[in-house]
C-alpha cells in the first residue's frame, strides 16, 4: 500500500477515510508509547468493512461517499436511546417536503402480543439549523425529531412518512444504568471460579457437566457460604468430533454445547425400555474410567459417547406436556435455532468435507432441500438445545435454592469460530478477511490472533442489532450474572488482517452506547448482573463509562498497581469482581514460583531476557508478601499456602463488590488452564482439576481437601 500512497496528501485522505469508519490510525502500546498503524493495515481493514481503498482514486471516491452517507438514508440504521433522556433523530427528505414521524411501542414482545396492535406515539419536530445538501443529484434537507425521555424500555419501531413513502427503523430504549441488587449495592459477596469441563465427579462421563455444576454450587453454598459459581463459556462447539478444546472459540455464542448435558438427568431416560437403557449404559462404558484419569481431557471420546446415548433418549416418546414444552421452546427461539440445528446437521452429513458453494447461503434452494432431507437430524440438534437449556435452568435453581444470592455466573466469549454456525447464519453482519486479537502486551509480547471474525459495526446497526440481542438473550437465560469476556471489545477491537502479524493490526471503534446499552437492557430483563472483563490495553474513560452504566469490571491482584506497588484494599474499584489471578495464568501457587516465565520461555513466547523476567517475577512476589505483611496477613517467611490464603483475605478486605476464588487455588493446582499465544504447543483447556501433586480431585473429594477447607474458611471469615 505504501507504493499506492505516493504523497502526504493522499495519506491524509486515507487517514480521514479510516477515521470516518472508526479505524484508528495510531494507538498507545502497553508501555505508553504511541504506535502508528501501517498504511497496508488500514487498507486491509477498510476492505473488511466493505470499503475499497487500494489506491489514490479509490480513496478519494470512498471519502466522498462516506461524507454524505448519513444523508442518503431517511432514518438512521438504528436509534439507541437511554431511558430518562431525550434523543434527537435526524430525518433526511427532499428539501422542502413535509415529513411525519411516529413511534410504535413494543414492550417485552411476549408471544401473545407479537401480532397485536401496538400503541402509537407521534414525535415532535425540534428546531435545527442544518443547511440542505446536494447528494447524488438531489437537494436534501434534515429535520430533527425528538424521542421523549419517558418512552419505556424496550425494542420499538420508528416510522417516517414523506411524499407518500414510508420508512422504518429500530428504536431501542436502554436503561440509563443497570442497578445492582441491594445486597451488592451495600456489601460484598464471594464465590468460586471454575472451568466446568475440568470439574468432574464419579458419575461424570469424563468431563464436568451441568449436573456437576449444580452439585458444585450446592456444596460451596452449604459448606462454605459462597454466593456464586462462575464458569467458562458453555457455548456450542462442533456437532461432530474433533471438537475444538477452547471454550472461547465456539461455533455459536448463542447456543450451548450439549457435551455438558447429563444424560441420566433427562426425564425421558428414566422411562427407557430395558434394551434402550442398555444402549445408554454401553455408550457410557468407554468413558466412565476417564473421570479418574489425570491426563489431558478427551472431549472427543466424551462427545462420541454422549451423542450415541442422547440419540437413544431423543427417540423415546415424550409425554404430552413435555412435548408441548419442547415445542414452545422451539417457537420462542425462532429461526435462529432452526438455522443453528440445520448447520449442525449439514456439518455432520459432510463429515469433514469442504462446504459446497451452494450451501454457503442459509437461504439458498440447496439449504432448503437439506432442511427437508435432514429433518430428523435437525430435530435432534434442536432437541439437544432444549435439554441443555433445561439443565442450565436446573443448575441455577439449585444454586439459588441452596442459598446463593447470585447463583451461576455464565461467560460470553469475545467471538466465534471462523467456520462456525454463527458465521454461516450471520455472515452478513460479520467482517471477513480479518480476525479479532490483541496487540502486544507484557504477558504476550508478540500480540495475539484469536482467529475470530468480528462484528461489522455498520452492518450490525443496519440489522437493528438483532443478532446481538438474540445472542444476549440466550446467554442470559438462567444466569445470575454474565461475565463478558474482553468487554473492551464493545468499545474497540483489535482487527488483524489475514496474512499479517498480530502486531500489525488496528483498532476499530464500535458504537459502545448501543452495545453496552443493549447489554444492560437484556440483563435487566433477565434480572442478571453484568461483569465486564476489562483487562488489557484500554482507554481510561472506558472503565468510568462502564461503572456509570452499572457494569462491573474485573480487578486482578497482580495487575492492580498504585505507584508501582500493589493497590491497597480500600482503593479497589467498588464495581468490580476481584480475583488473585486469571485462567490465562498459572494458578497462584505456580505464579508465586514464577512458572509463568518458565512456561513462556519453554514455548518460545518471550521477547525479553528470561533471567530478567524471572527477577521481575521474584520482585513482584516479594512486593506482594510485603504488602500482605503490612496488613498483618502473613508473618516472617510465610509458606506458599499461607501466601495464597492471605492474598484472598486481602481481596476480601477490598472495596470490590465481588471476590472470586479460583477452584484451582483452593486445591493447590499449579498447572495453567491456558497459555495465550499457543495452540497445540500446550494442552490448553484440557487440564483436569488436580491438587499440588497432580492427583485428580473430584467433586466428591473437594471438601476432603484440607487446603480447600482452609482457604474457604479464611475467605468466608474475612471482612
Amino acid at each position: 500500500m505504501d507504493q499506492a500512497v505516493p504523497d502526504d496528501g493522499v495519506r491524509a485522505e486515507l487517514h480521514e477515510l479510516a477515521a470516518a469508519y472508526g479505524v484508528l490510525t495510531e494507538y498507545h502500546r502497553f508501555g505508553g508509547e504511541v504506535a502508528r498503524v501501517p498504511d497496508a493495515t488500514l487498507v486491509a481493514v477498510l476492505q473488511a468493512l466493505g470499503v475499497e481503498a487500494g489506491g489514490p482514486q479509490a480513496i478519494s471516491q470512498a471519502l466522498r461517499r462516506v461524507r454524505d452517507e448519513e444523508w442518503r438514508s431517511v432514518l438512521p440504521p438504528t436509534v439507541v436511546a437511554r431511558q430518562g433522556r431525550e434523543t434527537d433523530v435526524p430525518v433526511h427528505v427532499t428539501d422542502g417536503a413535509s415529513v411525519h414521524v411516529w413511534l410504535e411501542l413494543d414492550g417485552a414482545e411476549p408471544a401473545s402480543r407479537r401480532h397485536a396492535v401496538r400503541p402509537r406515539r407521534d414525535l415532535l419536530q425540534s428546531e435545527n439549523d442544518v443547511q440542505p445538501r446536494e447528494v447524488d443529484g438531489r437537494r436534501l434537507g434534515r429535520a430533527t425529531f425528538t424521542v421523549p425521555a419517558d418512552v419505556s424500555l424496550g425494542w420499538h419501531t420508528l416510522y417516517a412518512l414523506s411524499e407518500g413513502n414510508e420508512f422504518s427503523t429500530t428504536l431501542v430504549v436502554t436503561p440509563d444504568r443497570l442497578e445492582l441488587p441491594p445486597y451488592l449495592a451495600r456489601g460484598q459477596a464471594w464465590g468460586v471460579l471454575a472451568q466446568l469441563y475440568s470439574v468432574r465427579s464419579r458419575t461424570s462421563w469424563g468431563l464436568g457437566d451441568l449436573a456437576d455444576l449444580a452439585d458444585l454450587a450446592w456444596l460451596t453454598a452449604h459448606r462454605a457460604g459462597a454466593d456464586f459459581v462462575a464458569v467458562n463459556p458453555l457455548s456450542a462447539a462442533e456437532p461432530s468430533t474433533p471438537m475444538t478444546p477452547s471454550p472461547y472459540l465456539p461455533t455459536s455464542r448463542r447456543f450451548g454445547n450439549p457435551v455438558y448435558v447429563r444424560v441420566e438427568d433427562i426425564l425421558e431416560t428414566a422411562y427407557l425400555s430395558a434394551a434402550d437403557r442398555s444402549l445408554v449404559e454401553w455408550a457410557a462404558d468407554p468413558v466412565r474410567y476417564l473421570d479418574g484419569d489425570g491426563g489431558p481431557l478427551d472431549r472427543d471420546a466424551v462427545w462420541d459417547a454422549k451423542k450415541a446415548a442422547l440419540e437413544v433418549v431423543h427417540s423415546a416418546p415424550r409425554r404430552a406436556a413435555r412435548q408441548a414444552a419442547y415445542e414452545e421452546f422451539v417457537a420462542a427461539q425462532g429461526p435462529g435455532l432452526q438455522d443453528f440445528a440445520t448447520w449442525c446437521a449439514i456439518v455432520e452429513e459432510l463429515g469433514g468435507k469442504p462446504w459446497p458453494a451452494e450451501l454457503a447461503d442459509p437461504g439458498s434452494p440447496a439449504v432448503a432441500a437439506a432442511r427437508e432431507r435432514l429433518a430428523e437430524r435437525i430435530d435432534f440438534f434442536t432437541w439437544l438445545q432444549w435439554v441443555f437449556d433445561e439443565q442450565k435452568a436446573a443448575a441455577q435453581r439449585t444454586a439459588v435454592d441452596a442459598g446463593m444470592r447470585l447463583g451461576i455466573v455464565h461467560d460470553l466469549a469475545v467471538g466465534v469460530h471462523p467456520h462456525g454456525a454463527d458465521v454461516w447464519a450471520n455472515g452478513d453482519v460479520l467482517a471477513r478477511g480479518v480476525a479479532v486479537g490483541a496487540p502486544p502486551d507484557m504477558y504476550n509480547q508478540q500480540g495475539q490472533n484469536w482467529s475470530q471474525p468480528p462484528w461489522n459495526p455498520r452492518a450490525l446497526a443496519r440489522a437493528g442489532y438483532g443478532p446481538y440481542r438474540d445472542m444476549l438473550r440466550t446467554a442470559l437465560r438462567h444466569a445470575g450474572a454474565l461475565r463478558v469476556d474482553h468487554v473492551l471489545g464493545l468499545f474497540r477491537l483489535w482487527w488483524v488482517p489475514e496474512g499479517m502479524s498480530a502486531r500489525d493490526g488496528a483498532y476499530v471503534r464500535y458504537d459502545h452506547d448501543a452495545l453496552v446499552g443493549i447489554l444492560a437492557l437484556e440483563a435487566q430483563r433477565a434480572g442478571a448482573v453484568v461483569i465486564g472483563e476489562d483487562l488489557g490495553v484500554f482507554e481510561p474513560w472506558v472503565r468510568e463509562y462502564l461503572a456509570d452504566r452499572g457494569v462491573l469490571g474485573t480487578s486482578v491482584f497482580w495487575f492492580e498497581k498504585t505507584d508501582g506497588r500493589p493497590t491497597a484494599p480500600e482503593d479497589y474499584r467498588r464495581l468490580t469482581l476481584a480475583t488473585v489471578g486469571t485462567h490465562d495464568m498459572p494458578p497462584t501457587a505456580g505464579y508465586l514460583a514464577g512458572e509463568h516465565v518458565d512456561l513462556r520461555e519453554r514455548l518460545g513466547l518471550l521477547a525479553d531476557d528470561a533471567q530478567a523476567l524471572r527477577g521481575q517475577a521474584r520482585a513482584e512476589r516479594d512486593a506482594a508478601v510485603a504488602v500482605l505483611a503490612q496488613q498483618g496477613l502473613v508473618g516472617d517467611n510465610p509458606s506458599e499456602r499461607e501466601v495464597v490464603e492471605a492474598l484472598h483475605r486481602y481481596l476480601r478486605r477490598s472495596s470490590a463488590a465481588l471476590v472470586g476464588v479460583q477452584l484451582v487455588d483452593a486445591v493447590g493446582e499449579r498447572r495453567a488452564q491456558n497459555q495465550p499465544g499457543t495452540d497445540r504447543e500446550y494442552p490448553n483447556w484440557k487440564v483436569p482439576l488436580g491438587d499440588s501433586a497432580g492427583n485428580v480431585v473430584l467433586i466428591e473429594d473437594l471438601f476432603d481437601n484440607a487446603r480447600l477447607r482452609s482457604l474457604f474458611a479464611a475467605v468466608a471469615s474475612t471482612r
Side-chain angles (χ1 to χ4, degrees):
M1 176 59 203
D2 290 337
Q3 295 177 353
V5 184
D7 56 52
D8 290 340
V10 177
R11 180 169 284 110
E13 284 195 334
L14 174 62
H15 283 209
E16 183 183 348
L17 181 63
Y21 281 92
V23 184
L24 275 63
T25 58
E26 60 182 37
Y27 65 97
H28 286 87
R29 299 185 192 273
F30 71 92
E33 67 274 18
V34 174
R36 288 177 171 78
V37 177
D39 292 335
T41 297
L42 297 177
V43 172
V45 169
L46 287 167
Q47 181 72 39
L49 287 165
V51 183
E52 179 57 50
Q57 184 176 357
I59 293 169
S60 295
Q61 290 176 347
L63 194 53
R64 286 194 296 271
R65 284 195 301 271
V66 76
R67 286 168 178 164
D68 293 330
E69 184 180 41
E70 67 173 327
W71 285 76
R72 292 188 174 91
S73 298
V74 174
L75 293 169
T78 301
V79 178
V80 180
R82 289 171 72 163
Q83 190 179 42
R85 303 186 185 190
E86 292 185 344
T87 301
D88 288 338
V89 179
V91 181
H92 300 100
V93 296
T94 302
D95 186 32
S98 63
V99 59
H100 178 212
V101 178
W102 70 96
L103 180 63
E104 287 190 357
L105 303 174
D106 183 25
E109 297 184 85
S112 61
R113 292 186 52 203
R114 283 180 189 154
H115 303 293
V117 176
R118 298 170 178 173
R120 173 171 165 160
R121 186 168 181 178
D122 291 333
L123 300 189
L124 299 178
Q125 186 172 350
S126 57
E127 295 292 331
N128 75 76
D129 56 0
V130 179
Q131 295 300 309
R133 182 178 297 191
E134 194 81 19
V135 179
D136 300 333
R138 292 179 61 204
R139 186 171 174 80
L140 300 176
R142 172 181 291 179
T144 302
F145 288 79
T146 302
V147 177
D150 62 351
V151 174
S152 61
L153 293 174
W155 295 80
H156 314 297
T157 305
L158 195 63
Y159 291 90
L161 177 65
S162 182
E163 299 181 289
N165 297 311
E166 185 176 283
F167 307 87
S168 66
T169 194
T170 299
L171 168 68
V172 193
V173 179
T174 67
D176 191 56
R177 177 182 175 83
L178 179 63
E179 296 297 339
L180 291 177
Y183 66 88
L184 283 184
R186 296 189 301 267
Q188 184 186 83
W190 77 275
V192 178
L193 281 61
Q195 298 293 308
L196 179 58
Y197 55 83
S198 72
V199 186
R200 302 171 295 179
S201 64
R202 291 188 176 88
T203 51
S204 304
W205 290 35
L207 205 72
D209 59 28
L210 287 161
D212 294 322
L213 175 57
D215 288 351
L216 179 63
W218 194 94
L219 287 168
T220 53
H222 271 267
R223 298 192 181 181
D227 273 313
F228 64 88
V229 172
V231 293
N232 55 280
L234 307 184
S235 303
E238 295 82 355
S240 301
T241 55
M243 182 177 289
T244 300
S246 174
Y248 291 93
L249 189 59
T251 63
S252 172
R253 290 193 289 173
R254 178 176 175 183
F255 298 106
N257 189 345
V259 78
Y260 291 110
V261 167
R262 177 66 67 89
V263 178
E264 296 88 341
D265 284 3
I266 303 171
L267 183 61
E268 284 71 31
T269 304
Y271 299 97
L272 292 175
S273 66
D276 284 345
R277 187 182 299 275
S278 295
L279 291 175
V280 170
E281 291 298 323
W282 291 340
D285 283 345
V287 294
R288 289 285 193 198
Y289 77 94
L290 294 178
D291 292 328
D293 189 338
L297 298 170
D298 190 345
R299 284 175 175 80
D300 292 347
V302 173
W303 179 232
D304 284 340
K306 281 196 176 181
K307 188 177 181 182
L310 288 165
E311 287 171 342
V312 174
V313 181
H314 171 250
S315 65
R318 291 183 282 276
R319 299 201 307 260
R322 290 277 291 168
Q323 180 63 26
Y326 171 49
E327 292 171 358
E328 287 182 7
F329 173 81
V330 173
Q333 294 300 312
L337 176 56
Q338 291 304 303
D339 283 347
F340 171 75
T342 299
W343 178 86
C344 290
I346 293 174
V347 168
E348 181 184 61
E349 182 182 53
L350 289 173
K353 298 175 184 176
W355 275 67
E358 63 268 20
L359 295 177
D361 180 1
S364 70
V367 171
R371 293 181 197 271
E372 184 175 349
R373 183 179 69 255
L374 300 171
E376 184 176 342
R377 297 307 291 170
I378 291 172
D379 185 70
F380 171 64
F381 288 111
T382 303
W383 173 82
L384 287 178
Q385 291 305 308
W386 178 55
V387 295
F388 176 92
D389 184 77
E390 282 197 319
Q391 295 191 9
K392 182 182 176 186
Q396 174 65 0
R397 186 167 56 250
T398 299
V400 173
D401 290 348
M404 285 188 164
R405 291 180 292 179
L406 199 56
I408 308 302
V409 180
H410 285 282
D411 200 344
L412 182 67
V414 68
V416 293
H417 195 290
H419 305 297
D422 282 1
V423 172
W424 182 72
N426 298 318
D428 55 341
V429 294
L430 295 169
R432 303 299 181 94
V434 289
V436 175
D441 60 31
M442 64 183 296
Y443 289 96
N444 196 308
Q445 297 170 9
Q446 299 180 34
Q448 299 177 53
N449 183 334
W450 302 328
S451 77
Q452 301 161 328
W455 295 115
N456 181 323
R458 296 192 171 213
L460 192 59
R462 289 194 296 269
Y465 293 96
Y468 177 66
R469 173 201 61 203
D470 294 343
M471 176 192 71
L472 291 175
R473 286 183 178 176
T474 306
L476 286 159
R477 282 173 64 88
H478 320 307
L482 181 68
R483 174 190 178 272
V484 180
D485 189 44
H486 195 61
V487 75
L488 305 175
L490 302 184
F491 297 80
R492 66 180 190 179
L493 271 175
W494 184 253
W495 287 22
V496 182
E498 285 182 0
M500 293 188 181
S501 164
R503 294 187 297 268
D504 295 326
Y507 279 113
V508 176
R509 289 200 183 278
Y510 287 78
D511 185 342
H512 60 273
D513 283 326
L515 295 176
V516 176
I518 292 169
L519 173 61
L521 170 63
E522 296 305 325
Q524 180 164 311
R525 286 181 161 184
V529 172
V530 174
I531 303 163
E533 190 261 312
D534 55 358
L535 305 175
V537 180
F538 60 89
E539 298 163 296
W541 63 271
V542 166
R543 283 183 165 178
E544 296 175 6
Y545 177 90
L546 289 169
D548 180 62
R549 299 304 299 266
V551 176
L552 275 67
T554 300
S555 296
V556 176
F557 174 85
W558 300 112
F559 303 159
E560 294 292 324
K561 305 287 185 185
T562 302
D563 298 327
R565 293 170 48 81
T567 298
E570 63 272 16
D571 292 333
Y572 271 63
R573 291 178 288 161
R574 170 66 188 144
L575 295 185
T576 193
L577 163 65
T579 63
V580 176
T582 78
H583 59 243
D584 288 331
M585 304 162 61
T588 304
Y591 194 83
L592 289 168
E595 292 176 7
H596 53 299
V597 179
D598 297 339
L599 178 59
R600 286 185 290 150
E601 181 187 29
R602 190 163 65 248
L603 298 173
L605 298 176
L606 296 182
D608 294 334
D609 179 68
Q611 285 303 110
L613 292 175
R614 287 190 181 91
Q616 293 174 18
R618 285 192 295 272
E620 185 178 37
R621 180 192 185 282
D622 292 345
V625 172
V627 77
L628 295 174
Q630 290 172 3
Q631 291 277 330
L633 295 172
V634 295
D636 295 335
N637 300 315
S639 67
E640 169 199 288
R641 177 170 164 176
E642 289 172 331
V643 173
V644 171
E645 291 187 4
L647 287 168
H648 287 90
R649 292 168 63 198
Y650 186 91
L651 294 182
R652 282 287 276 161
R653 292 182 177 182
S654 75
S655 307
L658 296 175
V659 171
V661 179
Q662 294 188 92
L663 192 58
V664 288
D665 283 345
V667 298
E669 175 69 86
R670 303 177 72 92
R671 298 167 295 176
Q673 283 292 329
N674 178 53
Q675 174 54 57
T678 64
D679 181 16
R680 299 180 182 180
E681 302 90 337
Y682 183 81
N684 293 323
W685 316 112
K686 297 179 181 179
V687 179
L689 185 67
D691 61 18
S692 57
N695 299 312
V696 170
V697 177
L698 301 177
I699 287 179
E700 294 89 345
D701 306 324
L702 283 176
F703 282 86
D704 293 331
N705 185 296
R707 185 162 180 157
L708 177 142
R709 293 199 307 272
S710 180
L711 176 57
F712 280 2
V715 171
S717 64
T718 303
R719 265 304 272 171

